[in-house]
Amino acid sequence: MRNICFYFQVHQPFRFRRYRFFDIGQDHYYYDDYTNESVLDKVKTKCYLPTNELLLKLLKKYKGKFKIAFSISGVALDQFRLYAPEVIESFKELVDTGDVELLAETYSHSLVALKDEKEFKRQVKQHAQTVKELFGYKPKVFRNTELIYSDEIGQMVKTLGYEGMLTEGAKHILGWKSPNFLYCNAIDPKLKVLLKNFVLSDDIAFRFGNKGWCEWPLTTQKYVDWLAQLDKKEEIINLFMDYETFGEHQWKETGIFEFLEDLPEKVIKHKKLQFVTPSEAIEKLQPVSSVHVPHPISWADEERDLTAWLGNEMQKEAFDKLYSLLPKINQCEDEKLLKDWQYLQVSDHFYYMSTKFFSDGEVHAYFNPYETPYEAFINYMNVLSDFTLRLNAAIPESNIEQELANLSRIIEKKDKKIKQLEKQLKSTTNKI
Amino acid sequence: MRVLMFGWEFPPHISGGLGTACYGLTKGIAHIPDLDVIFVVPKAFGDEDQSTMQLVGANKVPIKHRKLNVSQFSKTLDYIEVSSKLVPYVDPDEFWKLQSYEVSTMHKFVQTDESGLVQFTGTYGPNLLKEIADYAIIANLIAQDHEFDIIHAHDWLTYPAGIAAKEATGKPLVVHVHATDFDRSGGSVNPTVYEIEKRGMEAADKVITVSNLTRNIVIEKYGIPEDKVVTVYNAVEPNHNEIPVPFQKKVGEKIVTFLGRITMQKGPEYFIEVANAVLKRVDNVRFVMAGSGDMMEKMIRRAASLNITDKFHFTGFLKGDDVFHMLRMSDLYVMPSVSEPFGISPLEAMQSSVPVLISNQSGVAEILTYAIKTNFWDIEAMADAIHGIVSYPALSKMFIKHGKEEVDSLKWENSARKVKLVYDSVLP
């Protein structure tokens, strides 16, 4: 029996407004509310709501046989709460069918895994907590931003208690090996690794509506034949893609919804195919080998590396400047600052600064609010400059001031504790 | 294939972008086998040796014909100089002034033009038009005396010459538009100049423009059919001699430079407003306006009234190496042109490892990726870009690294090949 594992990524960044250097130190609001709301509204109408509705119908129809997984970034959840709470409701309905798995990720959809373990863990925990609050669900499998993975990141994820992780079946790490098996982490073999079959995934995500593609039009029958045709021994086909594939990257007119509606039946009826969720796959299958990934990989571009986010000088400088603030962030308790801190880390900001689009444009240009990567960089750095000023003001620089701040924080804590104890004391004396 | 080309002077006597472009293109053409150029230039003869010249035509105009062995050329060039007072970048008003200026200072007006210290008198001088007409008559004669297959005329002053050559021989004519009067005048077009330009474009079998920006002007404002107009971008001469920085500037201080003619076309007033906006918030930066032109005084007064002259400097007209020194000192080159058909100077800045900020209203913006582009009127965006370059080092590091590569890939040879395709398309 061959397993088909679907996972969809749901993410929307908070885009910054045009933040000029005149604004630094003057205006501390960074977001382009109009763009954020209108993009979300558009994607909601074209993709999230209709696709959720269709999936709900399918999940109910094929109860227990059709299964899918989602990863919804914390930033996207924030946006839904702010602009479209009905989307959260519709995801809840999906989760309640019991055949939908939710994956863990970093709250900020950030690249922090490449920088700081402590902050990474904090963000993963925060995301898990939010998922629990909203959906009453505890994720078991982890997927990192942009499917970024390396041996070390895998090990870090394992220490957080996750049993499996998703990443790209990049050719350069697999060599002759096939992505269609379960693998395990090279440092800690207890962490299972699911690899994306990028050919079959991209047939849907990128090529589906392309009339110049030699396989166009892609019918469900043809696709299921492809799934079935692979070498008999191959155990699992991981189809990972952006959720926006449905209705947004591939418009309704391409027939993507009809494809999605018909596919489960074709798979379920096929004797050799069945759907699984990532956590089921990890339980059921035996890893065939470990996979060595000394340098981080991702699911982006031909190279499947980090160059789309950290490829040029601007991206590196912005990234380093951002995380140089960590020591102060760790002392910071101001909620507003921490919220901005989350949104500053979203990977999309770095993607906008990519100069790779000079050669391969379209994907990078998607939803990009900037005309050039330089504008993106300057805007980001302006925002970051203002944020740094605010953070410095909140977390004083000199030792004495810092000590004072620390001490007053300790006093605050002790005060709380004293009050708690007093209460206890009172209630016990009352009882007596 | 032989081309009769009506162009402009070669270095070192070069008067701005037009001469540079003609020189570069001719050099590029020299790389193409089976393509020869007879190069005709107007030149007011001064103190130089006139023994090699011959007199041509009814007016007994002196003509100097020589085989020019230009360095780095693979072959010699037929180079014909015609005694004419035509100089690029003038309109009839300006020319009248130049003429009267020349009387007092003997044959120096080529420099005078570039220094731009010419004042408009409002008086209409017919002399320029006479010069153009004379030049056309000589063109007609030269055309009859030489063998060639195609005629190529650079910018409006030589269009009548091109037309005359075409009439004399029936050979196809290509006119090359480096600028239109819409660019030079900022909209208030001189009807006589417009008429000459339009006639040239209409008489031509193909029109070459230096950018799509100019191509659109030619199509829309001159009513030339779209399929007759082809864009061929300029390139830049490789810069071999690296001149060391003459002196160290103050540590930490950044220099932002405007370098060019201080005329309406170049948008100097926007540069001042931007400088003012930046200086209000940023300390470690100085602005330099290098060059001269008819708006210089006004600019000085504006800078003074904004109280920024402690950080805003005028150098006046820069010559020769001083231009390179100025560039090498700069941390950013700004070209806020209101209407720039191409604009070679940002490419020269990039060659000198200086990041550039250019306006979208320049043709060169169409081919550069490692440059910041804004609209010339968008003071905020420009100020923000300058602040970005000055404050966030990664940006200029990146421009310096990739900008030079990008410019080095722009070769006159490639432009010449495209010109050759245009020739091929009009030959029977």
Side-chain angles (χ1 to χ4, degrees):
Chain A
M1 216 44 171
R2 180 166 298 151
N3 300 289
I4 308 297
C5 180
F6 260 121
Y7 136 73
F8 306 122
Q9 177 61 35
V10 182
H11 168 62
Q12 286 297 328
F14 277 94
R15 293 162 200 83
F16 290 141
R17 70 182 178 88
R18 193 53 43 100
Y19 191 88
R20 301 288 190 208
F21 80 99
F22 308 100
D23 297 323
I24 299 171
Q26 312 283 323
D27 188 335
H28 309 311
Y29 193 75
Y30 308 141
Y31 309 101
D32 184 345
D33 294 336
Y34 175 76
T35 305
N36 290 329
E37 187 167 356
S38 51
V39 169
L40 191 69
D41 193 62
K42 193 179 115 200
V43 185
K44 174 188 86 182
T45 323
K46 285 172 81 177
C47 167
Y48 298 148
L49 289 181
T51 319
N52 280 5
E53 197 190 322
L54 176 61
L55 286 174
L56 186 64
K57 199 175 91 182
L58 294 168
L59 287 163
K60 282 184 175 162
K61 191 170 165 189
Y62 306 110
K63 185 102 196 79
K65 287 182 177 159
F66 179 46
K67 290 160 189 176
I68 45 174
F70 283 103
S71 185
I72 313 174
S73 74
V75 184
L77 289 170
D78 279 357
Q79 284 209 30
F80 293 149
R81 279 190 276 202
L82 199 57
Y83 300 127
E86 68 272 29
V87 176
I88 293 190
E89 288 306 312
S90 79
F91 274 116
K92 262 186 204 159
E93 284 181 72
L94 289 181
V95 175
D96 288 344
T97 61
D99 293 325
V100 171
E101 174 168 352
L102 291 179
L103 306 180
E105 65 169 294
T106 55
Y107 192 91
S108 301
H109 197 268
S110 69
L111 307 171
V112 69
L114 303 163
K115 202 75 183 184
D116 190 84
E117 181 166 355
K118 199 175 143 205
E119 175 69 9
F120 172 72
K121 290 185 171 172
R122 200 192 60 70
Q123 287 182 23
V124 176
K125 280 177 192 155
Q126 191 190 0
H127 181 256
Q129 194 189 337
T130 309
V131 170
K132 190 154 195 205
E133 276 166 21
L134 287 174
F135 301 103
Y137 190 97
K138 189 170 179 290
K140 292 190 207 90
V141 174
F142 185 80
R143 85 107 223 179
N144 197 16
T145 309
E146 318 290 358
L147 293 190
I148 290 170
Y149 177 85
S150 70
D151 295 339
E152 280 173 21
I153 295 174
Q155 188 193 24
M156 219 154 67
V157 168
K158 184 69 187 88
T159 61
L160 279 165
Y162 293 98
E163 285 152 22
M165 185 165 170
L166 276 52
T167 187
E168 173 70 35
K171 264 189 195 153
H172 70 273
I173 57 146
L174 280 174
W176 54 269
K177 289 184 215 161
S178 157
N180 305 331
F181 292 96
L182 185 68
Y183 289 85
C184 65
N185 180 271
I187 301 172
D188 188 341
K190 280 184 202 141
L191 181 90
K192 312 292 183 329
V193 181
L194 289 163
L195 299 174
K196 174 184 153 192
N197 183 315
F198 66 82
V199 178
L200 287 162
S201 300
D202 293 352
D203 285 339
I204 300 177
F206 295 136
R207 290 182 280 271
F208 183 82
N210 178 3
K211 292 189 182 173
W213 180 34
C214 59
E215 298 290 351
W216 187 88
L218 181 60
T219 60
T220 46
Q221 190 56 54
K222 193 193 281 184
Y223 194 73
V224 169
D225 285 348
W226 288 347
L227 295 177
Q229 260 165 28
L230 293 164
D231 191 284
K232 271 182 200 160
K233 286 181 193 157
E234 309 213 313
E235 294 174 319
I236 182 164
I237 300 170
N238 294 310
L239 302 172
F240 301 164
M241 60 196 79
D242 279 335
Y243 196 37
E244 292 80 12
T245 299
F246 303 98
E248 182 59 54
H249 299 334
Q250 305 292 341
W251 290 357
K252 191 174 86 186
E253 290 74 16
T254 61
I256 189 78
F257 286 115
E258 285 77 7
F259 180 87
L260 183 60
E261 182 161 12
D262 193 44
L263 189 68
E265 196 185 337
K266 288 263 177 10
V267 170
I268 290 161
K269 277 192 179 164
H270 201 286
K271 282 172 209 155
K272 287 180 195 156
L273 301 175
Q274 65 176 8
F275 286 107
V276 289
T277 62
S279 58
E280 281 174 359
I282 284 164
E283 242 170 72
K284 268 167 87 173
L285 301 175
Q286 280 301 314
V288 291
S289 133
S290 66
V291 58
H292 287 270
V293 188
H295 304 293
I297 56 167
S298 81
W299 69 355
D301 304 330
E302 270 301 301
E303 303 87 346
R304 304 294 199 274
D305 59 10
L306 303 177
T307 50
W309 302 277
L310 299 172
N312 66 36
E313 292 85 345
M314 300 188 292
Q315 292 168 316
K316 284 174 193 156
E317 170 157 310
F319 190 65
D320 290 345
K321 279 266 155 68
L322 174 69
Y323 285 108
S324 71
L325 301 177
L326 258 178
K328 285 203 169 168
I329 287 292
N330 288 335
Q331 303 170 40
C332 176
E333 279 169 358
D334 182 313
E335 268 182 38
K336 267 189 185 167
L337 276 170
L338 288 176
K339 201 83 211 161
D340 288 333
W341 168 248
Q342 281 170 5
Y343 298 160
L344 271 163
Q345 294 179 73
V346 179
S347 68
D348 301 66
H349 297 311
F350 301 96
Y351 204 61
Y352 300 145
M353 298 175 202
S354 173
T355 41
K356 286 180 91 181
F357 80 91
F358 292 152
S359 47
D360 58 282
E362 289 176 26
V363 190
H364 287 249
Y366 197 73
F367 283 141
N368 185 344
Y370 303 101
E371 275 175 41
T372 65
Y374 318 122
E375 259 175 62
F377 172 73
I378 290 174
N379 212 56
Y380 185 84
M381 294 304 281
N382 286 348
V383 169
L384 191 61
S385 302
D386 183 72
F387 181 79
T388 310
L389 287 178
R390 285 165 61 204
L391 187 64
N392 286 343
I395 313 295
E397 192 72 46
S398 83
N399 281 342
I400 299 170
E401 281 176 288
Q402 213 168 327
E403 228 165 273
L404 273 177
N406 279 344
L407 286 175
S408 53
R409 217 170 295 138
I410 292 168
I411 292 171
E412 221 173 274
K413 271 188 197 162
K414 297 283 177 198
D415 269 346
K416 264 188 199 166
K417 188 94 189 188
I418 290 169
K419 268 181 195 160
Q420 246 180 3
L421 291 173
E422 268 176 359
K423 247 188 202 169
Q424 273 182 11
L425 196 67
K426 237 184 204 173
S427 58
T428 36
T429 42
N430 279 351
K431 273 180 198 165
I432 295 164
Chain B
M1 190 191 302
R2 263 169 96 80
V3 185
L4 178 66
M5 191 175 280
F6 293 100
W8 298 93
E9 276 177 302
F10 276 10
H13 305 288
I14 239 171
S15 29
L18 186 53
T20 314
C22 280
Y23 176 59
L25 183 66
T26 317
K27 224 171 134 174
I29 284 175
H31 287 286
I32 300 179
D34 310 324
L35 197 58
D36 293 311
V37 177
I38 309 165
F39 204 78
V40 185
V41 295
K43 181 165 182 154
F45 295 108
D47 45 356
E48 55 203 283
D49 174 30
Q50 296 195 16
S51 56
T52 57
M53 291 180 198
Q54 44 176 309
L55 296 176
V56 184
N59 315 18
K60 298 273 183 225
V61 183
I63 284 186
K64 189 161 117 184
H65 186 170
R66 49 189 166 124
K67 295 275 181 192
L68 200 63
N69 222 336
V70 185
S71 59
Q72 295 165 37
F73 266 52
S74 52
K75 47 195 171 195
T76 55
L77 184 73
D78 272 306
Y79 191 81
I80 302 173
E81 288 172 352
V82 177
S83 175
S84 166
K85 295 182 174 97
L86 290 186
V87 283
Y89 303 119
V90 287
D91 67 7
D93 295 350
E94 236 175 313
F95 191 75
W96 185 87
K97 188 65 193 168
L98 281 173
Q99 283 286 58
S100 47
Y101 186 78
E102 187 210 359
V103 175
S104 56
T105 59
M106 289 295 288
H107 307 301
K108 279 194 176 163
F109 66 67
V110 175
Q111 273 81 9
T112 333
D113 161 60
E114 182 50 26
S115 76
L117 278 169
V118 175
Q119 281 164 22
F120 289 93
T121 57
T123 324
Y124 202 84
N127 293 334
L128 179 62
L129 300 178
K130 187 169 178 299
E131 285 288 348
I132 293 172
D134 285 350
Y135 193 57
I137 292 166
I138 300 153
N140 186 307
L141 292 170
I142 293 173
Q144 291 178 37
D145 287 350
H146 292 81
E147 282 291 315
F148 57 89
D149 309 292
I150 202 159
I151 309 154
H152 189 151
H154 288 277
D155 247 22
W156 73 280
L157 290 154
T158 70
Y159 293 169
I163 296 173
K166 183 179 177 173
E167 278 167 358
T169 59
K171 304 283 187 203
L173 168 67
V174 173
V175 303
H176 203 133
V177 186
H178 294 267
T180 67
D181 210 43
F182 287 91
D183 306 306
R184 289 182 293 257
S185 65
S188 56
V189 175
N190 182 317
T192 318
V193 176
Y194 175 81
E195 194 53 40
I196 294 173
E197 286 180 329
K198 191 168 155 73
R199 264 183 46 219
M201 292 174 200
E202 280 170 353
D205 298 271
K206 273 276 163 75
V207 178
I208 295 176
T209 53
V210 291
S211 63
N212 287 331
L213 191 83
T214 308
R215 185 171 180 269
N216 290 340
I217 293 176
V218 166
I219 291 165
E220 279 163 27
K221 309 268 187 186
Y222 293 84
I224 306 300
E226 274 184 45
D227 52 1
K228 213 174 114 172
V229 195
V230 184
T231 296
V232 176
Y233 291 109
N234 286 338
V236 67
E237 281 286 298
N239 178 14
H240 294 296
N241 42 331
E242 287 278 300
I243 303 154
V245 182
F247 58 87
Q248 286 296 311
K249 53 190 171 181
K250 208 173 129 190
V251 182
E253 235 180 26
K254 304 282 182 179
I255 294 180
V256 179
T257 305
F258 170 107
L259 202 158
R261 283 177 293 129
I262 306 181
T263 60
M264 184 166 54
Q265 187 193 347
K266 304 289 178 189
E269 67 268 49
Y270 300 98
F271 184 70
I272 292 196
E273 299 309 321
V274 167
N276 185 38
V278 173
L279 286 170
K280 271 187 194 151
R281 306 292 303 274
V282 185
D283 224 16
N284 61 336
V285 59
R286 280 177 194 277
F287 290 81
V288 176
M289 184 171 273
S292 57
D294 59 5
M295 280 176 72
M296 185 154 151
E297 271 183 39
K298 198 176 153 198
M299 292 302 106
I300 294 173
R301 282 202 302 273
R302 178 65 185 153
S305 75
L306 287 170
N307 257 326
I308 55 174
T309 43
D310 55 331
K311 295 263 191 178
F312 193 105
H313 311 277
F314 293 87
T315 66
F317 179 67
L318 294 183
K319 267 187 276 190
D321 283 353
D322 287 347
V323 176
F324 280 100
H325 289 161
M326 190 63 240
L327 275 181
R328 299 279 303 178
M329 278 172 60
S330 307
D331 296 282
L332 177 66
Y333 176 88
V334 184
M335 185 181 77
S337 287
V338 173
S339 180
E340 186 74 59
F342 188 78
I344 286 184
S345 58
L347 302 182
E348 290 168 346
M350 286 164 82
Q351 275 185 332
S352 302
S353 298
V354 180
V356 299
L357 164 61
I358 55 182
S359 70
N360 285 324
Q361 289 68 34
S362 64
V364 72
E366 292 168 23
I367 53 166
L368 286 182
T369 46
Y370 289 100
I372 301 192
K373 303 167 202 173
T374 65
N375 291 320
F376 71 84
W377 63 81
D378 197 343
I379 305 290
E380 272 205 2
M382 252 191 278
D384 203 40
I386 291 173
H387 169 264
I389 287 269
V390 168
S391 315
Y392 312 131
L395 205 52
S396 47
K397 235 194 294 177
M398 171 146 150
F399 282 134
I400 290 168
K401 188 171 153 203
H402 300 288
K404 203 160 158 42
E405 286 168 28
E406 184 170 33
V407 174
D408 287 343
S409 72
L410 304 172
K411 294 206 164 65
W412 276 114
E413 220 179 307
N414 301 333
S415 307
R417 281 207 186 89
K418 292 199 183 111
V419 169
K420 170 80 163 45
L421 291 179
V422 176
Y423 293 162
D424 291 340
S425 73
V426 295
L427 282 173

